[in-house]
């Protein structure tokens, strides 16, 4: 059943709608088929029985809570975000703002060990050990899912995507987010009837308070989890009205998988990089952790040959991950970056397809 609500301020609709769930305890062939279907239709899937140890998740969550509970002057020693490091409200170089504070780290163990000295001065070794173990297990999950995507797509080389995350020079990141509570927002009437406090951002279309604005993830694949506070929404495109926001109920036992721009380009648009956002409307704090799986800066991204057909010509130009990052940092958060790399229909000199380092 679909339940739609239309705000008084606009025609934007927010619907309660079933979204795909994949159980990794299912037979692999069936799970791979459903995973690909979800990535085609939604660019998003909830994954359960994922195999990441609860103890590893709990330790990571505890380290995040410990950091965000520090006095502002202590947290600021881990910033400013350049883009890595600690940031608050400002989430980009081009004026993008949100209602959160965050810690963005490179997934390289050496980087984490070095950065831990400014994040957790009392015990940086413990902090880096917890984060590195979390990254290790979630990266393994990401690689497993990417191999299943390769199988579901019928690729001859099913590990073509996962090898990019296993490259020693991969550019993967991990981000811890903390969305402060909004007192009174969960009372009758909700947040739509309240005016935001001075300096607070508000979504003029939906009446809600924006935690992290509408965007797609530039990387290959994002693996997200949160505490038991709702906030995540994905955009389901519909031809008749331009899109419907789907709230995703929180489930701390699950991971949410988000297709990124790079995977959309490599599959020639068959898999969809979903646009999503985080609202900050709860009277309880919301925390989330996201692993962004990315290739090495020099990796050249282009559509796989098997994804190009007479009825599906090449959609995007070839580009390196470094070139894509440069374009990303020059744009606002909500910009559709892949539009900058659309292929010229009259250009027949494109390479034959594939991924190279």
């Amino acid at each position: 059943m679909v339940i739609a609500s239309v705000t008084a301020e606009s025609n934007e609709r927010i619907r309660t709608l079933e979204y795909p769930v994949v159980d990794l305890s299912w037979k692999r062939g069936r799970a791979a088929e459903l995973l690909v279907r979800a990535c085609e239709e939604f660019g998003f899937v909830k994954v359960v029985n994922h195999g990441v140890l609860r103890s590893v998740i709990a330790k990571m969550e505890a380290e995040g809570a410990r950091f965000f509970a520090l006095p502002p002057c202590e947290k600021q020693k881990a910033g400013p975000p350049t883009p890595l490091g600690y940031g608050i409200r400002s989430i980009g170089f081009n004026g993008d703002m949100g209602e959160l504070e965050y810690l963005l780290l490179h997934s390289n163990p050496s980087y984490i060990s070095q950065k831990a000295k400014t994040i957790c001065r009392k015990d940086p070794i413990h902090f880096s050990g917890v984060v590195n173990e979390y990254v290790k297990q979630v990266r393994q999950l990401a690689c497993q899912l990417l191999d299943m995507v390769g199988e579901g797509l019928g690729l001859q080389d099913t590990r073509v995507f996962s090898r990019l995350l296993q490259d020693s020079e991969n550019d993967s990141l991990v981000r811890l987010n903390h969305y402060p509570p909004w007192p009174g927002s969960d009372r009758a009437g909700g947040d739509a009837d309240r005016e935001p406090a001075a300096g607070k951002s508000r979504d003029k279309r939906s009446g809600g308070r924006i935690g992290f604005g509408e965007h797609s993830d530039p990387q290959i694949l994002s693996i997200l989890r949160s505490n038991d506070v709702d906030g995540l929404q994905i955009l389901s495109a519909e031809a008749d009205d331009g899109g419907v926001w789907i709230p995703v109920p929180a489930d701390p036992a699950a991971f949410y998988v988000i297709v990124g721009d790079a995977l959309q380009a490599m599959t020639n648009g068959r898999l969809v990089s979903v646009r999503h956002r985080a609202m900050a409307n709860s009277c309880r704090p919301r925390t989330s952790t996201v692993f962004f799986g990315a290739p090495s800066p020099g990796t050249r991204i282009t559509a796989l040959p098997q994804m190009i057909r007479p009825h599906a010509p090449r959609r995007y130009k070839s580009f390196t991950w470094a070139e894509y990052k440069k374009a990303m940092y020059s744009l606002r958060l909500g910009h559709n970056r892949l539009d900058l790399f659309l292929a010229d229909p009259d250009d027949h000199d494109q390479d034959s397809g594939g991924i190279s380092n």
Side-chain angles (χ1 to χ4, degrees):
M1 180 175 68
V2 175
I3 303 174
S5 63
V6 184
T7 69
E9 297 180 348
S10 71
N11 291 325
E12 181 181 85
R13 292 191 289 175
I14 299 178
R15 294 184 177 180
T16 300
L17 178 68
E18 290 188 4
Y19 53 84
V21 179
V22 170
D23 188 329
L24 293 187
S25 68
W26 293 340
K27 290 185 178 180
R28 189 173 174 101
R30 179 190 176 206
E33 178 185 352
L34 293 177
L35 178 61
V36 167
R37 188 184 306 170
C39 292
E40 290 174 328
E41 297 178 2
F42 287 84
F44 173 88
V45 62
K46 176 180 176 178
V47 172
V48 298
N49 290 321
H50 44 72
V52 179
L53 295 177
R54 291 183 180 180
S55 58
V56 170
I57 294 173
K59 290 177 182 178
M60 183 69 171
E61 191 172 67
E63 288 303 314
R66 189 173 294 114
F67 173 77
F68 290 122
L70 291 172
C73 61
E74 289 296 315
K75 289 183 286 190
Q76 288 166 4
K77 293 175 182 178
T82 57
L84 303 180
Y86 171 73
I88 182 166
R89 297 205 64 209
S90 178
I91 53 180
F93 296 120
N94 299 294
D96 297 303
M97 302 292 286
E99 291 302 324
L100 82 160
E101 55 180 339
Y102 62 92
L103 187 62
L104 181 62
L105 307 171
H106 199 282
S107 67
N108 182 283
S110 297
Y111 170 88
I112 291 174
S113 296
Q114 184 64 30
K115 192 67 176 178
K117 297 174 183 178
T118 61
I119 296 171
C120 183
R121 293 188 165 195
K122 290 185 177 180
D123 197 348
I125 295 177
H126 176 74
F127 178 88
S128 60
V130 167
V131 176
N132 283 327
E133 183 59 31
Y134 181 86
V135 169
K136 175 185 175 181
Q137 293 204 19
V138 177
R139 191 198 309 274
Q140 289 174 345
L141 172 61
C143 289
Q144 177 186 356
L145 293 167
L146 288 171
D147 287 346
M148 292 171 66
V149 166
E151 294 166 17
L153 289 173
L155 301 181
Q156 185 175 3
D157 180 3
T158 59
R159 298 186 59 236
V160 65
F161 303 126
S162 65
R163 274 199 300 272
L164 299 177
L165 304 193
Q166 295 167 338
D167 185 335
S168 61
E169 301 298 320
N170 78 86
D171 196 33
S172 301
L173 306 173
V174 61
R175 189 176 68 217
L176 294 85
N177 298 317
H178 175 252
Y179 300 88
W182 191 10
S185 61
D186 287 343
R187 298 173 186 169
D191 56 22
D193 298 328
R194 293 173 54 87
E195 288 298 323
K200 302 297 183 180
S201 59
R202 177 170 176 169
D203 181 358
K204 295 180 180 179
R205 295 185 303 162
S206 68
R209 190 175 69 149
I210 291 290
F212 207 105
E214 177 183 339
H215 66 286
S216 64
D217 291 342
Q219 294 87 356
I220 299 171
L221 202 70
S222 302
I223 309 291
L224 178 150
R225 70 166 303 279
S226 69
N227 62 354
D228 59 349
V229 178
D230 295 345
L232 177 64
Q233 296 181 352
I234 61 172
L235 186 64
S236 175
E238 293 187 359
D240 60 340
D241 59 15
V244 176
W245 285 107
I246 303 172
V248 179
D251 183 350
F255 280 96
Y256 297 95
V257 179
I258 299 171
V259 173
D261 296 345
L263 189 55
Q264 177 170 321
M266 287 186 282
T267 59
N268 202 36
R270 180 168 170 179
L271 305 188
V272 181
S273 179
V274 65
R275 301 187 72 78
H276 53 287
R277 67 186 182 185
M279 307 303 288
N281 299 325
S282 176
C283 63
R284 294 185 295 147
R286 178 174 181 266
T287 60
S288 66
T289 307
V290 194
F291 171 78
F292 300 101
S296 65
T299 297
R300 182 158 294 279
I301 297 171
T302 186
L304 298 172
Q306 291 162 276
M307 298 290 100
I308 301 173
R309 296 287 186 272
H311 64 278
R314 181 186 302 277
R315 292 183 59 181
Y316 306 104
K317 300 174 183 178
S318 174
F319 54 86
T320 66
W321 174 240
E323 291 170 339
Y324 198 72
K325 282 182 65 178
K326 183 178 179 180
M328 175 185 71
Y329 290 133
S330 70
L331 302 170
R332 294 294 298 268
L333 178 68
H335 194 101
N336 191 335
R337 312 171 196 94
L338 280 174
D339 283 352
L340 297 180
F341 297 88
L342 291 175
D344 184 344
D346 298 324
D347 185 358
H348 301 291
D349 296 327
Q350 290 282 338
D351 56 73
S352 60
I355 303 169
S356 61
N357 294 97

